[in-house]
Amino acid sequence: MNRARLFAPLLGFATLAVVLYLGFSLRDPHLLPSALLDQPFPSFDLPVLGSGDRRATRLDLVGEVRLVNVWATWCPTCLAEHDELKRIRDTGLSVVGINYKDDSADAVAWLARHGDPYAFSVVDTDGDLGVDLGVYGAPETFLLDVDGVIRYKHVGAVDEMVWRKEIAPAIAAIQ
């Protein structure tokens, strides 16, 4: 019995080594798969930021290829990607925002200060749409086809390299 207890630390170490090996051998450790890929964008009915009584629904996302970007004023990475989103908008691609768990007045002021890359932003104060999308945090960006089906998801900032190597080819593949 005492001999078996001598091997317990070795067995524990071997188990930990196997778990770490499997974790570090992932193809892309930053890849956070989405169960919603190739699924319709979730239904929602939310107010449009800064528009009074106007509301938007899933139907407002149908009809053209577009990016949907989850953002917030409390998110420093959202500010880091903001200029790239404006550049993407200037290419003619529609970008829609989801203002996630944020104060609407702060969000309106933030967009006035930094520029507004969004065709419109919906207000997801409670984060319900974010939960439906499986959002881990802000920023996250989804590529939708003309039918409102999610074709690509990116977690983290969208920068020029992400645009060139990931999003632009994904757009080309669905057009």
Side-chain angles (χ1 to χ4, degrees), residues 30-111:
H30 296 94
L31 180 65
L32 297 171
S34 174
L36 294 178
L37 286 181
D38 300 324
Q39 300 295 316
F41 197 87
S43 294
F44 67 93
D45 183 356
L46 292 171
V48 173
L49 182 67
S51 70
D53 294 335
R54 183 174 165 225
R55 298 184 72 81
T57 68
R58 180 189 181 285
L59 293 177
D60 292 302
L61 302 179
V62 174
E64 62 183 281
V65 173
R66 67 180 78 231
L67 290 181
V68 176
N69 177 255
V70 179
W71 68 280
T73 61
W74 47 260
C75 165
T77 309
C78 296
L79 182 57
E81 77 174 355
H82 201 70
D83 285 338
E84 183 65 16
L85 293 176
K86 291 189 291 188
R87 191 197 64 72
I88 291 169
R89 174 210 54 208
D90 291 344
T91 69
L93 182 65
S94 177
V95 182
V96 172
I98 298 175
N99 185 236
Y100 182 66
K101 294 185 177 182
D102 207 352
D103 179 82
S104 293
D106 290 347
V108 168
W110 193 87
L111 289 175

Side-chain angles (χ1 to χ4, degrees), residues 129-142:
L129 179 56
V131 168
D132 291 344
L133 285 167
V135 167
Y136 293 93
E140 291 190 22
T141 304
F142 299 85

Side-chain angles (χ1 to χ4, degrees), residues 143-164:
L143 174 64
L144 277 58
D145 68 14
V146 295
D147 297 318
V149 173
I150 298 171
R151 297 300 179 183
Y152 171 82
K153 176 183 178 182
H154 178 77
V155 177
V158 172
D159 58 19
E160 192 272 332
M161 185 169 34
V162 169
W163 168 257
R164 188 172 27 86

